[in-house]
Amino acid sequence: MTSDLILGIESSCDETAAAVVADGRVILSSVIASQADLHSAYGGVVPEIASRMHVEAILPVIDQALEEAGKTLTDLSAIAVTYGPGLVGALLVGLSVAKGLAWATGKPLIGVHHIEGHIAANYLADPDLQPPFLCLVVSGAHSHLVLVEDYGRNTVLARTRDDAAGEAFDKIARAIGLGYPGGPLIDRTAEGGRTDAFALPRSRFADSLDFSFSGLKTAALNQFNRFHQQAEKAGSEVWDVISLQDFAATYQQAIVDVLVDHTFQALDQTRLKRLTLAGGVAANSCLRRCMTDRAADAGVLLSYPPLWLCTDNAAMIASAGYYAYKAGRRDELSLNATASLELTDDRYADSDARDLSI
Ligand code: KG4
Ligand code: ZN
């Protein structure tokens, strides 16, 4: 049986990536050119620099992905590309190249929602995974609890009302001088630290499972400033008053507690027993550990992608693109990049999608 090969292209933020995936599940190649080192000097992603770097990297990255897969453009069934949400200038680079390739080869073009890609990373990690399942999507820009009813059919059960979980990691890491990107740095620094070194709030809403991290972030900043003042009075340094390790571990635990609690409440409400994680923050070791423990207690089957499939990559875009392709979805060459794009629940049919805007 011949397989459907999808070329995936991703350029929504600071990773230029291309991958070839067979039948939505088997990665033949995956190439990622990260710009993180370049942006770290500025403490965050600079959109103009990101766009310029994507332009330089995109063609060599695609060439390498095809070469490592041992395939040519003519072997492909379709070309899948992230068209939103993300930085519009960055998205346009991947999308323009994808359109050019689709036009030149006559292969179908399939626009993929970035979050749908993150969710699909789970299909690559677990060959037996089938919808329905619950997915906690936590990245630098998003914190969502998504009910995946079928391939490409999603209902957003909860979202963040302010900062995303990754933002909460990145902003505090920058404020305390750890650097960028903050998530992995806090994760590493927190190892073996006390998780209750000081009090932090865990916000919740009475009537919804939505997340809010801004109160937690402000409380941590205020606490950091108090430690600073104590150190100044004593003529010492802030990390003599509280260890950096304990500060990071206590802050990380507060974020993870909120994510775990809301996720298991959503599982209770939906009566689902199948859970997955997605997005850059799903690489967090404390989150993985706490989710694994809670899942074991609750009799929930949990799986999550390996670290490199949690952060941005193109294999996940190719996988999501495959299921869109099989559902008959084709996009016109007029497809545009959309900085804030809805994750609709029925994007392959012409039905009126519910309001599930991100
Ligand atoms: O999914 P992703 O690569 O890009 C977006 O779509 O946003 O996620 C990047 C985010 C950043 O905020 C980064 O700090 C966070 O994921 N991240 C982590 C870890 N690794 C990456 N957060 C916590 N712990 C980690 N180990
Ligand atoms: Zn992402």
Side-chain angles (χ1 to χ4, degrees):
M1 205 179 80
T2 58
S3 35
D4 280 311
L5 300 181
I6 310 290
L7 172 68
I9 298 174
E10 155 67 38
S11 70
S12 66
C13 190
D14 60 348
E15 260 98 32
T16 322
V20 179
V21 169
D23 295 331
R25 298 276 178 164
V26 182
I27 302 171
L28 301 189
S29 68
S30 176
V31 180
I32 304 168
S34 176
Q35 312 169 3
D37 287 350
L38 220 95
H39 296 287
S40 69
Y42 305 93
V45 177
V46 184
E48 289 79 6
I49 296 181
S51 307
R52 209 172 313 146
M53 297 313 293
H54 284 310
V55 169
E56 284 182 25
I58 191 90
L59 291 178
V61 162
I62 291 172
D63 279 347
Q64 193 182 334
L66 287 168
E67 195 183 317
E68 284 181 14
K71 303 293 175 191
T72 63
L73 288 170
T74 47
D75 297 322
L76 301 174
S77 299
I79 296 161
V81 62
T82 308
Y83 72 109
L87 301 169
V88 77
L91 287 163
L92 274 171
V93 177
L95 181 59
S96 304
V97 171
K99 284 188 199 176
L101 291 176
W103 181 77
T105 58
K107 306 282 180 187
L109 173 76
I110 297 171
V112 172
H113 191 292
H114 185 73
I115 295 299
E116 191 145 26
H118 273 301
I119 295 169
N122 284 284
Y123 298 133
L124 298 165
D126 179 356
D128 298 324
L129 177 66
Q130 308 278 350
F133 56 87
L134 184 76
C135 186
L136 173 71
V137 187
V138 269
S139 73
H142 310 280
S143 302
H144 284 1
L145 274 167
V146 181
L147 168 60
V148 181
E149 288 158 289
D150 202 347
Y151 295 103
R153 247 172 66 91
N154 309 300
T155 299
V156 179
L157 302 179
R159 73 193 72 219
T160 182
R161 295 201 183 171
D162 39 61
D163 289 345
E167 249 179 307
F169 275 107
D170 294 339
K171 285 181 179 170
I172 287 296
R174 190 163 49 204
I176 65 173
L178 264 183
Y180 169 87
L185 292 168
I186 289 188
D187 195 350
R188 232 174 295 141
T189 308
E191 235 168 81
R194 273 185 58 190
T195 54
D196 58 354
F198 54 95
L200 281 174
R202 272 84 168 148
S203 327
R204 59 176 65 241
F205 299 98
D207 55 344
S208 112
L209 289 177
D210 280 356
F211 301 104
S212 167
F213 292 107
S214 75
L216 170 59
K217 191 189 63 191
T218 307
L221 267 181
N222 289 342
Q223 189 60 53
F224 177 68
N225 290 334
R226 274 195 289 276
F227 287 137
H228 235 303
Q229 284 161 2
Q230 285 174 29
E232 259 172 24
K233 268 192 205 142
S236 59
E237 297 295 323
V238 64
W239 302 129
D240 296 328
V241 177
I242 181 169
S243 75
L244 173 58
Q245 184 189 30
D246 287 355
F247 189 94
T250 298
Y251 182 63
Q252 174 173 265
Q253 189 67 53
I255 295 178
V256 166
D257 282 352
V258 170
L259 294 174
V260 172
D261 276 356
H262 289 216
T263 302
F264 279 83
Q265 276 185 48
L267 284 166
D268 267 356
Q269 286 177 11
T270 55
R271 302 187 180 282
L272 280 170
K273 288 287 184 189
R274 189 72 178 89
L275 172 65
T276 63
L277 310 178
V281 181
N284 185 265
S285 59
C286 176
L287 180 69
R288 287 168 172 247
R289 225 173 19 245
C290 293
M291 283 289 190
T292 304
D293 291 349
R294 262 303 265 284
D297 288 348
V300 165
L301 180 59
L302 166 70
S303 61
Y304 42 73
L307 297 187
W308 76 272
L309 276 175
C310 286
T311 46
D312 287 350
N313 65 85
M316 67 185 197
I317 303 302
S319 174
Y322 167 80
Y323 289 105
Y325 172 74
K326 290 311 259 186
R329 177 143 172 258
R330 306 288 182 265
D331 280 304
E332 300 293 329
L333 292 179
S334 56
L335 181 69
N336 208 352
T338 311
S340 39
L341 184 66
E342 291 181 3
L343 182 65
T344 52
D345 63 335
D346 205 1
R347 55 201 293 257
Y348 307 126
D350 251 353
S351 68
D352 36 328
R354 278 177 265 163
D355 176 22
L356 300 168
S357 61
I358 294 173

